């Protein structure tokens, strides 16, 4: 038996495919990453094996903007096959970008589950076939034209034979006339062509010359006319703004021009039109008008800038040329008259030539003196024909480096990005406008990052062919950097204002209207722009007068500051603080105010709490101090003659001192909390024993009964004195706020690795709106202090003690059903000791 032939492995298969004559490649992913390409495909691409593993666009950057990368992405995403014949592609081979034609197929290769795993790419270079076929088609067309021309020549020969008998006498004269007529036509065509090209260049540069320039905004409203308009129309600037100039258009041209202008304005595209306009001298002038749309940096439409060139002389020249042609036709019958007309025509041509030379000189002089950078580049070979000093300064090059040289030799650093753009302008004849383009230019031997506004404006001949490119540029680097700095500052200010929840606004003293920020609208409950009267309507009636007083002062000092109350839609009151600076006009009259507004309700509440605390603290300290002072005065009187009242006075003095000490201790605890000086001395102790020790005063009072429930043998590791302080505070509060609750229930529970201690009374309970604030500093359920005394610090201190132990504290209550205060401490000994 023969040995079985082993199957080929993947590497052997790849090796075999690499020798296939058909160009073949395998790609994966939407970026068409090249997994395999045989020698035929690499030869088509003009690349080596280094492209393996790269995306198609990364391997061949010249394909950017061509449809092939997107075709690959579609085949990969949709699992389809895309093919084409005689398809052009621009490929850089041996450093030269050229156009090739291919028959190709992109086929999706799927696995057993129908999932695309690769794209098979095959291609055949049919450039030679395509070009040969095109040459054959052109040859066929030329042959047809030749046959037609031969037929016409034969017919013409017959006619000439018929006329030869009658034209023998004029034969020599007609030959001379024909030669002169041909020369004249060539001269006229060349001069007119040059004149039109010169005028086209002038239309691209509306500068401060005798060109008529006007500007309209995005709504079509007239905004500006230059002096040339006033000189031609005889109207002042204000009259042109108010009445325009449409009524000066010749009646036969008016409606056509208006229709052309309105259609272009609606589509926001450039337009040009010829018309006759009545001048200040009473005669009509022929004008060539060109309108160009303006756009802002963000792409928004800003209106039109229009230029008009007086082409009366050209029109007269055209009419004269038309008359010449008519006279030349008649001259076939009258040779004598023809000679006179030719002489006159030669004189007119000489004048036209002089005018053309003068126009060309004006054009070149205009380029050199223009305040913007200008460079004129010949389309056929991209050689710089004209360049002004502004452009040389812009690109940082000398005139020898640019003039009469290939543009990309002078500014090679810009070629990669802008050479394709210029090629597209030449190909399509459509101008390219670049706004604030960022690029790196090698200026005077140093790379500099710049921002440029520029235009690639195509200049065409009479046949519509692009003959040159006019580059007009302007350095806006400083403007862009300044704007970005301003934008950064404004963004930082905006973030700071938003973080501080400050509203901003602008008040116009003339219109009495206010434009405010979102926060401003939220504070006053309005939607700006809004009248000042509507804003003042939101003020509290008792504070409405403060605004006028503050503004009266601000008009003198330039600074506005006042605080007032504002009524919200739900009639709730909030405090606001308004500040601002007044801006004056040139006459010193207040023009507008820029200001801020801030909701200071919370600050006012804190100030009120502080004032209340000082009042309460003064009252609480005054009571025991008054009692202590009275007792001491009586004891002072008895010191030489003691009576039976002395022990009682001493007891009263001690109680007063205990009360003072208790109040001072609460204040010291708050100070320690604020300064972070509270130190916990943790140890293990029995909760029930601690409760018996700290609550003995309840039994001594005899007014309440303390009922201890739950687990009485539970031990915990914590600061016993601090926990005792919390429990005592809970019980004292129950006695103070529920004096009619005979029984006070203290419950000890073990819940989820934590110990829960709660104190419950059956008193009147606490309103629901006050529960969230119970553990705030200086907060008291009865703010007027009518029912009970205290500084409002006990629960605040208790909450801090429990939180420092890593526990939780809270309160539950329903009005009429009593209240429950509770805290939970972790039962884990290790965590409790940390």
């Amino acid at each position: 038996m023969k040995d079985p032939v082993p199957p080929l492995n993947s590497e052997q298969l790849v090796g075999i495919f690499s020798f296939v004559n058909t160009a073949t490649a395998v790609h994966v992913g939407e970026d068409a990453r090249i997994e395999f390409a045989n020698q035929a495909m690499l030869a088509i691409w003009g690349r080596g094996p280094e492209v393996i593993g790269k995306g198609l666009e990364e391997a061949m950057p010249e394909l950017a903007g061509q449809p092939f990368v997107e075709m690959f992405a579609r085949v990969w995403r949709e699992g389809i096959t895309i093919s084409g014949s005689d398809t052009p592609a621009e490929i850089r081979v041996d450093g030269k970008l050229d156009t090739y034609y291919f028959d190709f197929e992109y086929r999706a290769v799927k696995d057993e589950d129908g999932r695309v795993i690769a794209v098979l790419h095959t291609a055949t270079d049919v450039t030679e076939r395509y070009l040969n076929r095109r040459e054959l088609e052109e040859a066929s067309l030329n042959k047809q034209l030749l046959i037609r021309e031969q037929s016409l020549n034969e017919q013409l020969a017959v006619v000439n034979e018929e006329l030869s008998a009658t034209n023998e006498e004029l034969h020599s004269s007609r030959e001379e006339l024909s030669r002169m007529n041909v020369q004249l036509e060539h001269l006229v065509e060349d001069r007119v062509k040059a004149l039109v090209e010169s005028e086209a260049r002038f239309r691209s540069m509306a500068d401060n010359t005798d060109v008529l320039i006007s500007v309209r905004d995005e709504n079509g409203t007239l905004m500006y006319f230059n002096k040339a308009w006033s000189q031609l129309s005889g109207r002042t600037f204000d009259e042109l703004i108010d009445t325009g100039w449409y009524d000066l258009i010749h009646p036969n041209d008016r409606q056509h021009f208006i229709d052309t202008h309105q259609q272009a304005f609606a589509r926001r595209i450039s337009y040009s039109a010829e018309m006759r306009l009545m001048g200040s001298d009473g005669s009509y002038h022929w004008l060539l008008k060109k309108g160009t749309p303006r756009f802002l940096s963000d792409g928004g439409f800003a209106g039109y800038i229009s230029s008009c060139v007086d082409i009366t002389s050209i029109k007269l020249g055209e009419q004269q040329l038309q008359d010449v042609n008519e006279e030349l036709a008649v001259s076939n019958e009258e040779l004598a008259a023809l000679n006179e007309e030719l002489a006159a025509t030669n004189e007119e041509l000489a004048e036209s030539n002089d005018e053309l030379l003068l126009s060309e000189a004006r054009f070149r002089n205009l380029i050199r003196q223009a305040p913007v950078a200008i460079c004129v580049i010949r389309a056929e070979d991209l050689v710089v024909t004209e360049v002004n000093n502004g452009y040389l300064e812009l690109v940082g090059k000398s005139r020898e480096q640019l003039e009469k040289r290939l543009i990309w030799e002078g500014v090679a650093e810009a070629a990669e990005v802008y050479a394709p753009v210029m090629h597209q302008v030449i190909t399509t004849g459509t101008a390219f406008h670049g706004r604030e383009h960022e690029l790196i230019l090698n200026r005077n031997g140093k790379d500099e990052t710049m921002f440029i506004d520029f235009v690639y404006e195509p200049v065409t001949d009479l046949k519509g062919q692009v003959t040159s490119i006019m580059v007009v540029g302007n350095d806006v680097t400083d403007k862009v950097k300044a704007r970005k700095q301003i934008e950064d500052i404004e963004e930082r200010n905006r973030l700071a204002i938003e973080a501080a929840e400050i509203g901003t606004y602008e008040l116009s003293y003339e219109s009495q209207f206010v434009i405010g920020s979102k926060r401003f609208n939220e504070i006053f409950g309005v939607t700006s722009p809004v009248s000042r009267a509507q804003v003042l309507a939101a003020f509290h009636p008792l504070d409405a007068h403060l605004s006028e007083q503050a503004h009266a002062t601000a008009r003198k000092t330039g600074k506005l500051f006042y605080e007032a109350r504002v009524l919200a839609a739900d009639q709730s009151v909030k405090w606001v603080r308004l500040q601002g600076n007044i801006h004056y006009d040139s006459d010193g009259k207040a023009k507008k105010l820029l200001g801020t507004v801030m909701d200071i309700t919370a600050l006012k509440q804190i100030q009120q709490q502080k004032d209340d605390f000082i009042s309460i603290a003064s009252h609480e300290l005054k009571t025991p101090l008054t009692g202590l002072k009275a007792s001491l005065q009586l004891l002072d009187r008895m010191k030489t003659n003691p009576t039976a009242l002395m022990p009682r006075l001493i007891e009263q003095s001690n109680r007063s001192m205990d009360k003072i000490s208790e109040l001072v201790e609460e204040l010291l605890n708050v100070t320690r909390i604020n300064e972070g000086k509270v130190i916990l001395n943790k140890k293990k102790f029995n909760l029930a024993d601690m409760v018996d020790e700290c609550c003995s005063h309840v039994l001594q009072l005899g007014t309440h009964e303390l009922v201890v429930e739950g687990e009485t043998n539970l031990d915990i590791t914590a600061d016993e004195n601090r926990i005792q302080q919390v429990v005592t505070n809970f019980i004292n509060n129950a006695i103070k706020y529920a004096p009619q609750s005979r029984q006070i229930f203290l419950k000890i529970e073990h819940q989820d690795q934590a110990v829960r201690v709660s104190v419950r009374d059956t008193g009147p309970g606490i309103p629901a709106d006050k529960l969230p604030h119970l553990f705030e500093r200086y907060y008291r359920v009865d703010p007027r202090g009518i029912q009970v005394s205290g500084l409002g610090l006990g629960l605040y201190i208790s909450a801090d003690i429990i939180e420092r132990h890593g526990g939780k504290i809270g309160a539950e209550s329903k009005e009429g059903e009593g209240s429950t205060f509770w805290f939970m401490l972790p039962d884990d000994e290790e965590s409790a000791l940390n």
Side-chain angles (χ1 to χ4, degrees):
M1 292 181 60
K2 294 183 180 180
D3 293 336
V5 178
L8 298 176
N9 55 35
S10 59
E11 293 182 357
Q12 291 173 326
L13 287 173
V14 169
I16 292 172
F17 277 118
S18 65
F19 293 104
V20 175
N21 291 331
T22 301
T24 305
V26 177
H27 305 260
V28 295
E30 288 196 13
D31 62 345
R33 188 174 72 250
I34 303 168
E35 292 294 317
F36 167 78
N38 64 4
Q39 291 298 325
M41 184 62 76
L42 293 175
I44 285 178
W45 289 343
R47 301 297 195 275
E50 69 276 2
V51 301
I52 303 300
K54 295 182 179 180
L56 188 60
E57 191 169 345
E58 179 186 2
M60 304 176 69
E62 64 269 23
L63 294 182
Q66 300 187 52
F68 305 108
V69 176
E70 178 56 28
M71 287 183 184
F72 271 110
R74 281 193 57 203
V75 172
W76 178 263
R77 290 194 304 264
E78 302 174 16
I80 61 177
T81 297
I82 296 179
S83 60
S85 299
D86 296 339
T87 303
E90 292 187 358
I91 299 177
R92 189 178 300 278
V93 178
D94 296 330
K96 181 181 178 183
L97 186 66
D98 208 342
T99 301
Y100 298 87
Y101 297 85
F102 299 96
D103 291 348
F104 73 92
E105 180 181 87
Y106 301 156
R107 178 178 296 276
V109 180
K110 304 177 182 179
D111 59 13
E112 296 177 353
D113 299 327
R115 184 171 60 89
V116 177
I117 60 174
V119 176
L120 180 62
H121 173 194
T122 58
T124 303
D125 186 347
V126 297
T127 304
E128 184 176 355
R129 182 190 72 189
Y130 176 82
L131 296 177
N132 290 339
R133 185 173 69 248
R134 191 168 68 178
E135 290 179 357
L136 289 174
E137 291 174 352
E138 292 177 354
S140 177
L141 178 61
N142 291 335
K143 181 178 179 181
Q144 293 177 2
L145 293 175
L146 180 61
I147 294 173
R148 182 180 178 186
E149 184 178 357
Q150 290 176 346
S151 176
L152 291 175
N153 288 335
E154 291 175 358
Q155 295 176 7
L156 182 61
V158 172
V159 172
N160 286 336
E161 289 178 0
E162 294 175 354
L163 295 176
S164 60
T166 58
N167 290 334
E168 288 181 358
E169 296 178 358
L170 298 176
H171 179 69
S172 59
S173 297
R174 287 185 179 276
E175 287 183 351
E176 181 65 19
L177 176 62
S178 177
R179 183 182 63 79
M180 295 179 65
N181 188 36
V182 170
Q183 292 178 351
L184 178 61
E185 288 178 353
H186 285 318
L187 287 172
V188 171
E189 180 180 358
D190 291 342
R191 294 299 184 269
V192 171
K193 175 181 177 181
L195 183 60
V196 172
E197 290 179 355
S198 176
E199 292 298 335
R201 288 194 294 269
F202 276 116
R203 287 198 300 271
S204 301
M205 299 182 56
D207 203 350
N208 295 326
T209 63
D210 54 355
V211 177
L212 284 71
I213 300 173
S214 62
V215 179
R216 294 178 182 266
D217 64 13
E218 68 275 11
N219 299 318
T221 304
L222 292 169
M223 298 173 58
Y224 171 76
F225 291 90
N226 67 348
K227 292 182 179 180
W229 263 110
S230 298
Q231 294 172 354
L232 177 67
S233 64
R235 294 180 177 177
T236 66
F237 176 88
D238 292 335
E239 289 173 344
L240 286 169
I241 292 295
D242 292 338
T243 63
W245 47 272
Y246 284 359
D247 57 311
L248 301 178
I249 302 175
H250 192 285
N252 294 340
D253 301 340
R254 186 178 302 152
Q255 191 58 47
H256 175 71
F257 169 76
I258 292 175
D259 292 342
T260 301
H261 170 75
Q262 290 178 345
Q263 291 172 8
F265 197 96
R267 297 171 59 191
R268 299 178 181 179
I269 60 174
S270 299
Y271 71 93
S272 61
E274 294 181 358
M275 59 182 175
R276 286 165 289 180
L277 192 79
M278 176 70 73
S280 58
D281 57 0
S283 63
Y284 280 100
H285 295 254
W286 274 98
L287 299 180
L288 176 62
K289 188 173 189 300
K290 182 176 182 180
T292 304
R294 299 183 295 121
F295 296 91
L296 302 176
S297 60
D298 59 356
F301 177 58
Y304 267 72
I305 180 169
S306 302
S307 61
C308 290
V309 178
D310 192 334
I311 58 171
T312 305
S313 59
I314 296 177
K315 282 294 185 179
L316 293 176
E318 291 177 353
Q319 183 62 44
Q320 290 172 351
L321 289 176
Q322 183 178 356
D323 295 339
V324 170
N325 288 332
E326 292 176 357
E327 291 171 358
L328 287 174
V330 176
S331 67
N332 289 326
E333 299 176 0
E334 302 179 1
L335 290 174
L338 174 64
N339 291 330
E340 295 178 0
E341 292 171 358
L342 285 175
T345 302
N346 286 331
E347 293 178 0
E348 293 173 359
L349 284 176
E351 294 176 358
S352 298
N353 185 53
D354 293 341
E355 182 179 354
L356 179 60
L357 294 175
L358 179 60
S359 177
E360 188 71 21
R362 282 203 309 265
F363 171 70
R364 294 180 182 276
N365 189 48
L366 197 61
I367 287 179
R368 294 185 180 274
Q369 297 182 7
V372 295
I374 299 177
C375 178
V376 180
I377 303 168
R378 196 159 54 217
E380 60 180 345
D381 54 8
L382 300 184
V383 170
V384 177
T385 58
E386 290 292 335
V387 60
N388 68 357
N389 292 333
Y391 190 87
L392 295 175
E393 181 180 354
L394 177 68
V395 298
K397 301 294 189 298
S398 65
R399 185 170 296 277
E400 292 74 17
Q401 290 175 298
L402 279 184
E403 199 167 46
K404 310 306 179 185
R405 297 173 65 92
L406 183 68
I407 181 63
W408 302 127
E409 292 179 1
V411 285
E413 61 271 24
E416 181 177 356
V417 176
Y418 296 103
V421 177
M422 186 175 291
H423 176 74
Q424 184 178 6
V425 173
I426 295 173
T427 303
T428 63
T430 302
F432 177 84
H433 295 262
R435 301 184 186 279
E436 297 184 0
H437 274 227
E438 181 179 1
L439 69 157
I440 299 176
L441 288 176
N442 188 281
R443 306 180 75 207
N444 303 315
K446 181 181 178 182
D447 288 344
E448 296 183 24
T449 300
M450 305 182 66
F451 293 89
I452 307 294
D453 284 349
F454 68 92
V455 178
Y456 285 171
E457 182 73 27
V459 180
T460 59
D461 57 16
L462 293 175
K463 298 179 180 179
Q465 298 295 322
V466 177
T467 59
S468 58
I469 298 295
M470 179 178 291
V471 183
V472 181
N474 188 26
D475 183 1
V476 295
T477 304
D478 294 339
K479 181 186 75 173
V480 172
K481 289 182 177 179
R483 189 186 71 242
K484 289 185 176 181
Q485 290 177 352
I486 293 172
E487 290 173 350
D488 291 342
I489 293 172
E490 289 178 346
E491 180 65 14
R492 288 196 294 271
N493 290 339
R494 184 185 65 79
L495 293 175
I497 290 173
E498 290 181 355
E501 294 189 345
I502 297 174
T504 60
Y505 67 95
E506 177 181 336
L507 167 64
S508 170
Y509 281 110
E510 181 178 358
S511 66
Q512 289 292 298
F513 262 77
V514 179
I515 300 175
S517 65
K518 179 181 178 181
R519 181 58 180 157
F520 176 90
N521 295 341
E522 292 174 352
I523 290 174
F524 287 102
V526 297
T527 302
S528 66
V530 62
S531 68
R532 182 173 174 231
Q534 290 177 271
V535 176
L536 292 176
F539 279 66
H540 192 285
L542 298 179
D543 294 349
H545 66 286
L546 297 177
S547 175
E548 196 59 43
Q549 292 177 357
H551 278 275
T553 303
R555 285 187 176 91
K556 300 176 183 178
T557 64
K559 302 288 184 180
L560 176 80
F561 179 87
Y562 69 100
E563 296 177 352
R565 288 167 291 178
V566 174
L567 292 176
D570 59 358
Q571 296 303 305
S572 62
V573 178
K574 54 186 175 184
W575 279 90
V576 296
R577 176 181 295 162
L578 295 101
Q579 296 176 266
N581 292 331
I582 291 184
H583 294 255
Y584 302 89
D585 59 17
S586 58
D587 298 327
K589 182 180 178 183
K591 182 179 180 181
K592 64 180 179 180
L593 181 139
L594 300 178
T596 62
V597 58
M598 182 169 62
D599 187 340
I600 59 171
T601 306
L603 178 62
K604 286 291 185 180
Q605 290 174 347
I606 292 173
Q607 291 177 346
Q608 185 62 44
Q609 287 181 358
K610 179 181 176 182
D611 294 340
D612 292 344
F613 167 72
I614 293 173
S615 175
I616 293 168
S618 300
H619 174 74
E620 293 294 328
L621 287 171
K622 183 178 181 182
T623 300
L625 284 173
T626 302
L628 177 61
K629 183 179 180 180
S631 298
L632 291 175
Q633 287 175 347
L634 290 174
L635 287 171
D636 185 57
R637 294 175 186 174
M638 294 180 184
K639 64 183 177 182
T640 58
N641 187 21
T643 66
L645 188 60
M646 182 175 289
R648 183 179 174 187
L649 292 174
I650 293 174
E651 184 181 350
Q652 288 179 353
S653 298
N654 286 331
R655 286 200 301 270
S656 297
M657 283 301 301
D658 290 342
K659 182 63 175 176
I660 293 171
S661 298
E662 180 183 346
L663 293 172
V664 172
E665 182 63 24
E666 285 190 0
L667 293 174
L668 289 175
N669 284 333
V670 173
T671 303
R672 294 189 191 102
I673 291 172
N674 292 337
E675 296 178 354
K677 294 181 179 181
V678 176
I679 300 175
L680 300 180
N681 183 18
K682 297 182 180 181
K683 64 180 181 179
K684 192 171 186 179
F685 63 91
N686 184 274
L687 275 173
D689 293 342
M690 182 271 294
V691 169
D692 289 340
E693 181 181 346
C694 72
C695 300
S696 59
H697 67 287
V698 178
L699 300 176
Q700 293 175 1
L701 289 174
T703 58
H704 292 76
E705 177 185 356
L706 181 63
V707 180
V708 180
E709 303 173 327
E711 303 182 35
T712 57
N713 294 323
L714 192 60
D715 293 339
I716 191 169
T717 300
D719 188 324
E720 183 176 4
N721 291 332
R722 296 295 183 182
I723 300 302
Q724 188 180 83
Q725 184 179 350
V726 176
V727 173
T728 302
N729 183 270
F730 280 5
I731 294 174
N732 287 340
N733 281 346
I735 294 173
K736 288 179 183 179
Y737 290 98
Q740 304 303 321
S741 176
R742 176 65 182 174
Q743 290 184 318
I744 298 174
F745 301 90
L746 189 149
K747 190 173 184 179
I748 302 173
E749 304 174 90
H750 189 274
Q751 297 181 352
D752 299 330
Q753 296 184 348
V755 176
R756 187 178 192 270
V757 179
S758 61
V759 175
R760 178 173 61 88
D761 63 62
T762 57
I766 302 171
D769 61 329
K770 298 183 182 294
L771 282 174
H773 307 288
L774 291 177
F775 298 95
E776 295 178 2
R777 182 168 49 178
Y778 309 135
Y779 186 80
R780 305 200 314 163
V781 175
D782 180 16
R784 295 171 296 173
I786 296 175
Q787 296 180 355
V788 295
S789 62
L791 300 178
L793 295 173
L795 290 178
Y796 170 73
I797 296 171
S798 298
D800 183 76
I801 291 171
I802 298 302
E803 289 173 1
R804 290 179 184 273
H805 278 81
K808 298 180 181 179
I809 192 169
E812 301 165 358
S813 180
K814 288 186 179 180
E815 291 191 75
E817 298 182 10
S819 304
T820 300
F821 285 80
W822 57 268
F823 66 85
M824 296 181 67
L825 297 176
D827 193 21
D828 182 13
E829 186 171 344
E830 291 185 3
S831 64
L833 290 174
N834 288 337

